[in-house]
Amino acid sequence: MIEVKGLSKHFNVPIKVSGLSATIKHFFNRQYRRVDAVKALDFSIKEGEFVGFLGANGAGKTTTLKMLTGLIHPSGGSVNINGHTPFDRKKEFLQDITLVMGQKQQLIWDLPAMDSLRINAAVYEISKGDFDERIEELASMLELKDKLTSPVRKLSLGERMKAEFMAALLHRPRLLFLDEPTLGLDINAQSAVRRFLKDYNTRHNATVILTSHYMADITTLCERVLIIHEGGLVHDGVLSELIENFAPFRQVKVELGSDVDKETLSKYGEVESLNGAEARLTVRRDELTEVVSKLLSEQNVLDLTVTDPPIEEIIGRVFQKGSVS
Amino acid sequence: MKYLRLLRLFLSTSIQAEMEYRLNFVIAALSSIGGLAGSLFGLSLFYRGNDVLGGWVWDEALVVLGFFTLLQGVSASFLSANLSKIVGYVQMGTLDFVLLKPVDSQFWLSTRAFSLWGIPDLLLGTFIIGLAGTRLGLGPLDYLSALFPLLCGLVTLYSLWFMLGATSIWFVKVYNVTEVLRKTLEAGRFPITAFPAAWRIFFTYVVPVAFMTSVPAETLLGRGSAPWLLGAIVLAATLSVIARSFWHFALRFYTSASS
């Protein structure tokens, strides 16, 4: 479905200077520095795949996504999506794709979402019958039915994001590009969006490419992850492999009945922080159950949570070790 | 068909959205009445002691002012409402959404919004042309004949404005540039022949203001000449073609706002 060969993009960025005379000189004779945002990417994605795109800020994720959607023109290499070159922006290609960006919105702020949806229906030439049916389907999948007639500015962030999904998916695209779609949502809204995406993916055999900073987005949705670092691909494979290799640890947060010292805690795991009766420990995944049960029986535990290390940390480890093969 | 339906939706959603801010409309009406009164006063100063100015009598000059007011109304309602937003689309990165839709991006950017603000000017302009025309004894055919050059003038103005908007792809902040264009167009409130020769050349060939108000007015007054009319057509056609290819050229440089 998607074939990417040697895809690269460089930008010429003006070199910033400080000081008045230097600024004046800069104004007349601008010096540029070449920045390679994406360097010779090669990968292919099959129909129906759910792929996570990971990388630190500025790694080249969004640039790659924008070249795949045809928004920006590659400096080199090629992208082939179902026989189309994205930048040509052929109608048949655009009918088939969508882009959802967590921090940008296409809905009209002052009007009910329904008005924006009607405009999209006209753009994609969706018949009245299909429109009603799809609105019904999407609204029930997203549990948003009664909110479509109130102005977008009055919706909560979670509701707004769901409405954005409706606008983005009304034309039943078979290829979805999602750039941080759960950004800023609370836990409930995040998991609702995740459930919806999984549902849409299976129901329509849609291909989904997702970037996210939330580990849970990636772990619950993506079978395969591509990791980009400094514009190059450093990992392409199943997620469990990545976690095994680079994050064999879990974070355990405990709150105890009384203050403890570091010594007592360090027999359970590596103590990352200790603040009176609250502590954060790093524990190996294979010892997790044992450690947690020991903690619960030996200490007066008021509260205990186990979390994955943040995705940045895992990626950080990947980068430290360099390429994985 | 698809584009007609979109136009209807764009119009209705824009009006709905504008209705949320009703006071704006009252202010717009007051400001266009004030602006027109100022122009009338200015024009009357030139005519004090003169019957004819650059070959135009008072009522004929009023026709030019009428076309100018009309043009301002069109600018506020259609051009400014849409084209000034291109800058915002580029800055916010929401141009992405427009570009990813199977719809002509120039069409979307040029028609998406409609502002009620221009309506007072549209009404006043029509009223002045009608008033001066009646005093000059013009007939329906005269009005009809002026429609075509007026349309050409509008296309010319639109194309210039759209190209300036398109430069925001490179410069992002070009509010000032469109402001310069607006100010230059102010010259259109007076007949072109009222200006000294050097300015006449500037307003005809550099910023073609002459084609926007003076040429339609002359046609309406039955003084239109073939070379000027032909010029208006050629200019409008050429500029709209250039504007379109310029937009597609500019898009190659679009880098999209980073997230």
Side-chain angles (χ1 to χ4, degrees):
Chain A
M1 175 152 203
I2 302 180
E3 281 293 333
V4 172
K5 284 206 185 78
L7 187 67
S8 44
K9 177 78 191 174
H10 66 257
F11 297 104
N12 288 325
V13 184
I15 298 170
K16 290 259 161 64
V17 290
S18 56
L20 181 63
S21 68
T23 307
I24 291 169
K25 224 155 113 200
H26 177 72
F27 184 83
F28 291 106
N29 181 19
R30 207 166 259 211
Q31 300 286 315
Y32 290 93
R33 178 170 57 94
R34 183 185 150 127
V35 174
D36 289 289
V38 173
K39 289 178 273 192
L41 291 186
D42 289 293
F43 59 86
S44 63
I45 291 171
K46 288 194 292 290
E47 194 169 351
E49 266 194 291
F50 212 125
V51 180
F53 235 58
L54 301 179
N57 291 329
K61 284 174 301 188
T62 304
T63 307
T64 308
L65 222 55
K66 281 179 176 164
M67 285 193 281
L68 293 181
T69 50
L71 282 171
I72 59 179
H73 198 254
S75 319
S78 68
V79 181
N80 185 325
I81 297 182
N82 285 336
H84 293 287
T85 302
F87 195 74
D88 293 347
R89 288 204 192 102
K90 287 267 162 37
K91 197 179 159 201
E92 299 77 39
F93 170 72
L94 296 175
Q95 286 276 4
D96 242 10
I97 66 158
T98 202
L99 172 68
V100 177
M101 294 177 275
Q103 60 280 71
K104 293 175 195 169
Q105 59 157 20
Q106 60 166 320
L107 300 172
I108 307 166
W109 187 246
D110 285 322
L111 298 181
M114 206 58 179
D115 287 300
S116 299
L117 292 169
R118 283 210 187 87
I119 289 177
N120 277 11
V123 167
Y124 292 100
E125 296 171 273
I126 298 166
S127 71
K128 179 83 179 74
D130 281 351
F131 177 73
D132 292 340
E133 187 196 312
R134 290 180 196 185
I135 291 289
E136 181 68 31
E137 182 196 320
L138 288 168
S140 72
M141 279 166 87
L142 287 161
E143 294 155 11
L144 200 66
K145 229 169 261 173
D146 47 337
K147 297 285 181 188
L148 293 175
T149 45
S150 38
V152 172
R153 63 161 189 263
K154 299 217 167 111
L155 301 182
S156 72
L157 184 61
E159 289 163 348
R160 211 156 69 215
M161 204 59 224
K162 287 176 177 178
E164 283 286 331
F165 270 107
M166 288 190 71
L169 299 175
L170 193 63
H171 59 290
R172 288 232 173 110
R174 291 191 302 134
L175 177 55
L176 279 57
F177 295 95
L178 313 174
D179 195 6
E180 309 265 2
T182 52
L183 196 77
L185 301 186
D186 65 41
I187 299 286
N188 286 333
Q190 276 184 27
S191 64
V193 165
R194 267 176 228 136
R195 269 199 310 278
F196 168 73
L197 287 174
K198 193 72 217 165
D199 199 7
Y200 186 90
N201 165 249
T202 39
R203 206 184 274 213
H204 301 292
N205 193 29
T207 313
V208 187
I209 298 177
L210 168 98
T211 77
S212 178
H213 271 99
Y214 297 118
M215 189 63 185
D217 280 351
I218 308 289
T219 48
T220 48
L221 293 172
C222 309
E223 300 105 51
R224 178 180 165 199
V225 287
L226 300 177
I227 300 189
I228 297 191
H229 180 50
E230 288 174 357
L233 197 62
V234 293
H235 177 85
D236 178 357
V238 284
L239 182 70
S240 53
E241 214 176 89
L242 179 81
I243 295 181
E244 268 326 300
N245 284 345
F246 295 99
F249 298 99
R250 287 290 180 110
Q251 249 174 25
V252 178
K253 242 198 255 171
V254 277
E255 196 189 329
L256 302 171
S258 55
D259 288 10
V260 279
D261 53 65
K262 205 170 171 181
E263 218 123 300
T264 329
L265 283 176
S266 49
K267 62 178 180 195
Y268 301 104
E270 191 184 319
V271 183
E272 270 180 54
S273 68
L274 177 65
N275 184 11
E278 281 178 33
R280 247 188 20 224
L281 307 173
T282 304
V283 178
R284 289 190 60 86
R285 274 161 70 91
D286 44 10
E287 295 167 358
L288 185 70
T289 357
E290 196 190 327
V291 168
V292 169
S293 61
K294 257 168 72 185
L295 259 171
L296 290 173
S297 61
E298 295 170 13
Q299 303 290 334
N300 177 21
V301 176
L302 297 182
D303 192 20
L304 185 146
T305 45
V306 178
T307 49
D308 273 318
I311 192 98
E312 283 84 359
E313 210 164 286
I314 301 181
I315 295 168
R317 285 171 199 262
V318 178
F319 301 151
Q320 275 165 21
K321 292 205 182 179
S323 144
V324 204
S325 51
Chain B
M1 191 50 214
K2 164 180 168 183
Y3 284 92
L4 276 179
R5 182 177 305 145
L6 273 175
L7 268 181
R8 218 189 57 221
L9 280 168
F10 287 168
L11 198 67
S12 71
T13 50
S14 304
I15 292 175
Q16 254 175 284
E18 287 248 330
M19 285 300 186
E20 302 260 317
Y21 308 98
R22 261 173 308 184
L23 190 64
N24 282 352
F25 184 74
V26 179
I27 295 169
L30 289 177
S31 105
S32 48
I33 289 171
L36 187 65
S39 301
L40 279 173
F41 178 70
L43 199 60
S44 72
L45 287 183
F46 288 119
Y47 277 93
R48 183 167 290 177
N50 292 321
D51 284 341
V52 184
L53 196 74
W56 300 70
V57 299
W58 167 252
D59 281 323
E60 292 170 344
L62 271 190
V63 172
V64 177
L65 185 61
F67 274 111
F68 173 74
T69 313
L70 202 64
L71 213 65
Q72 268 199 323
V74 175
S75 300
S77 272
F78 300 96
L79 301 182
S80 179
N82 284 295
L83 303 178
S84 312
K85 285 206 184 98
I86 298 179
V87 180
Y89 280 122
V90 173
Q91 212 169 13
M92 304 284 293
T94 40
L95 183 58
D96 293 358
F97 289 120
V98 180
L99 295 177
L100 286 181
K101 288 191 165 64
V103 67
D104 188 86
S105 53
Q106 185 181 359
F107 168 80
W108 180 289
L109 293 174
S110 308
T111 58
R112 179 64 194 84
F114 169 80
S115 162
L116 298 172
W117 289 56
I119 289 180
D121 268 344
L122 286 174
L123 294 177
L124 277 175
T126 315
F127 173 73
I128 293 191
I129 295 173
L131 186 76
T134 314
R135 283 168 48 148
L136 291 164
L138 298 178
L141 266 179
D142 296 311
Y143 291 109
L144 218 59
S145 70
L147 275 181
F148 188 68
L150 179 66
L151 191 74
C152 288
L154 287 175
V155 172
T156 300
L157 177 60
Y158 159 76
S159 305
L160 285 175
W161 206 319
F162 185 72
M163 279 191 274
L164 282 178
T167 57
S168 56
I169 299 261
W170 290 281
F171 307 119
V172 184
K173 283 183 185 161
V174 288
Y175 295 102
N176 304 342
V177 181
T178 47
E179 216 32 54
V180 170
L181 180 67
R182 271 168 85 111
K183 289 292 168 216
T184 321
L185 293 179
E186 298 269 308
R189 71 175 79 217
F190 305 117
I192 187 71
T193 43
F195 291 97
W199 284 106
R200 230 177 287 171
I201 291 169
F202 180 77
F203 288 134
T204 308
Y205 299 105
V206 183
V207 187
V209 175
F211 289 99
M212 295 169 200
T213 55
S214 286
V215 174
E218 289 199 310
T219 315
L220 176 63
L221 298 171
R223 314 199 293 221
S225 64
W228 278 96
L229 206 59
L230 197 69
I233 297 170
V234 170
L235 186 72
T238 319
L239 279 178
S240 53
V241 171
I242 293 177
R244 191 160 181 79
S245 30
F246 182 70
W247 174 241
H248 286 280
F249 172 73
L251 281 183
R252 292 189 73 91
F253 296 89
Y254 178 55
T255 51
S256 177
S258 178
S259 53

